[in-house]
Amino acid sequence: MINFFRKIRKQLLTQNKVSKYLLYAIGEIVLVVIGILIALSINNWNEWRKDRIMEREVLGQLSESLTKNCEALEDTIGAAIELNNSRYIITSALAQKTPYSDSLENHFWVASLDFRHTTFSYSGYEIFKNEGFSVLTSSELRVAIVNLFESDLKRLEANESEVIRNIHIEEVAKFMIDNFNNRRIPNDYALVQSNQPFSENLKAISEREDWLNGQRSRLLEKCRRVLQFIKEELEEAD
């Protein structure tokens, strides 16, 4: 092809057809430019296609992490409700001077357990960060994901850790170690009934757990919304 164009140029020059040569030269330049533009377009399309493939992979990983996080929050909320139910039964029994029965044994055991700590998955988010935030085409989704993982999840983790170190839990644990056997049966139920700080600490723990469960429930709804957003983006990409 190159030799063909050379022959044409040589023929035009030897025939002293300068005007035709110039037109030919311009046409040749145009063809070269068009060829370059086509090559660039193909390259850009290939890069765009690679980016979209990577975007789907990142969205898939984020979807997996958020699904796990939703399940973790659901489990923690359910367990916290169960713990607080036992605490409520115990504090009510103590306040009403209800005689001890075997049915209280399980509730004392449950009430002795610490706060539940939610374990979140960050694997999808780490992949997202490593690939670069611009891998997602939706700026709205990018902001929602970053806020969720960098702010909301970590805020709950910090609040749960703070509660686990709460003085009320330490006091309840200490009192039960000193006044209950290994099965969490009170050595002296009358003493437990008369110990006002024990009941007050259990109530304080319940209130704190209710407050945390409010945070967990709101976070669960936010995780579900972002997860739905991701699913819609994946459906549009199909």
Side-chain angles (χ1 to χ4, degrees), residues 21 24 31 38 103 105 124 129 132 150 173 188 214:
Y21 175 79
Y24 167 80
L31 287 175
I38 292 173
S103 63
E105 180 179 338
K129 288 199 300 184
E150 292 290 350
D188 185 347

Side-chain angles (χ1 to χ4, degrees), residues 138-190:
S138 172
S139 59
E140 183 181 356
L141 180 56
R142 286 199 302 269
V143 172
I145 291 171
V146 171
N147 286 340
L148 180 61
F149 280 91
E150 292 290 350
S151 180
D152 299 320
L153 296 186
K154 291 183 178 180
R155 184 185 302 114
L156 178 62
E157 287 176 330
N159 287 336
E160 286 183 335
S161 296
E162 178 185 350
V163 169
I164 289 173
R165 296 190 297 269
N166 192 287
I167 186 65
H168 299 296
I169 293 180
E170 294 179 4
E171 291 299 322
V172 166
K174 181 179 178 182
F175 180 81
M176 296 192 77
I177 289 173
D178 293 339
N179 297 282
F180 289 71
N181 64 21
N182 291 336
R183 293 173 55 195
R184 298 300 186 270
I185 298 175
N187 300 324
D188 185 347
Y189 184 60

Side-chain angles (χ1 to χ4, degrees), residues 52 76 86 88 107 174 194 206 216:
R52 298 294 69 75
T76 305
S86 287
Y88 173 77
H107 294 300
K174 181 179 178 182
S194 63
S206 296
R216 293 177 186 128

Side-chain angles (χ1 to χ4, degrees), residues 45-133:
W45 183 85
N46 286 333
E47 291 299 320
W48 179 88
R49 182 171 172 274
K50 290 178 183 178
D51 290 342
R52 298 294 69 75
I53 292 174
M54 180 55 65
E55 181 179 23
R56 283 185 58 82
E57 291 179 1
V58 169
L59 287 173
Q61 293 296 327
L62 285 167
S63 178
E64 288 184 16
S65 286
L66 282 176
T67 299
K68 291 178 182 178
N69 292 343
C70 286
E71 292 172 351
L73 284 166
E74 290 170 353
D75 291 343
T76 305
I77 290 170
I81 291 173
E82 182 181 355
L83 289 171
N84 261 6
N85 181 57
S86 287
R87 294 184 186 113
Y88 173 77
I89 291 173
I90 290 173
T91 53
S92 297
L94 295 178
Q96 298 169 13
K97 303 299 181 182
T98 303
Y100 183 79
S101 63
D102 291 342
S103 63
L104 287 175
E105 180 179 338
N106 180 63
H107 294 300
F108 273 116
W109 174 267
V110 174
S112 69
L113 301 176
D114 286 341
F115 279 93
R116 289 295 301 270
H117 189 279
T118 313
T119 302
F120 292 119
S121 169
Y122 285 89
S123 59
Y125 184 66
E126 290 301 320
I127 292 173
F128 176 41
K129 288 199 300 184
N130 291 337
E131 292 299 330
F133 294 144

